[in-house]
Amino acid sequence: MVRAGAASWGHGQRVSYNDALTPIFIWMVPLAVMAAVVLVFIKEKPLATAIEHDVLSESISEGNILITADDEEPAAASR
């Protein structure tokens, strides 16, 4: 009796997981494919190897603004 109940419960559990996960995969697989296609067209930009202290007009137009602090301010704040 116990074995028959356990076997039917296992089958029901597998069916429930299958029914719950199928819609997730149906939505996520096309989304992952679209993301991979979009990533192919993204231009790779290498990381900076040096800190530039001057803000160039090209940096501002690209949205890459380097924010620097004055050397005198931290010393005055620590006093």
Side-chain angles (χ1 to χ4, degrees):
M1 185 80 138
V2 173
R3 291 183 186 193
S8 66
W9 182 77
H11 175 69
Q13 188 178 17
R14 284 190 298 271
V15 170
S16 296
Y17 275 112
N18 184 32
D19 291 345
L21 293 176
T22 299
I24 293 173
F25 283 106
I26 288 174
W27 284 99
M28 294 307 290
V29 169
L31 182 63
V33 170
M34 287 189 302
V37 168
V38 168
L39 287 175
V40 168
F41 296 105
I42 292 179
K43 182 180 177 183
E44 184 176 349
K45 185 175 180 181
L47 295 175
T49 57
I51 298 174
E52 297 178 17
H53 293 287
D54 297 329
V55 177
L56 303 174
S57 60
E58 299 162 357
S59 299
I60 294 172
S61 66
E62 293 177 3
N64 301 326
I65 300 174
L66 179 63
I67 299 173
T68 60
D70 294 331
D71 293 334
E72 296 175 14
E73 288 182 25
S78 65
R79 291 181 188 172

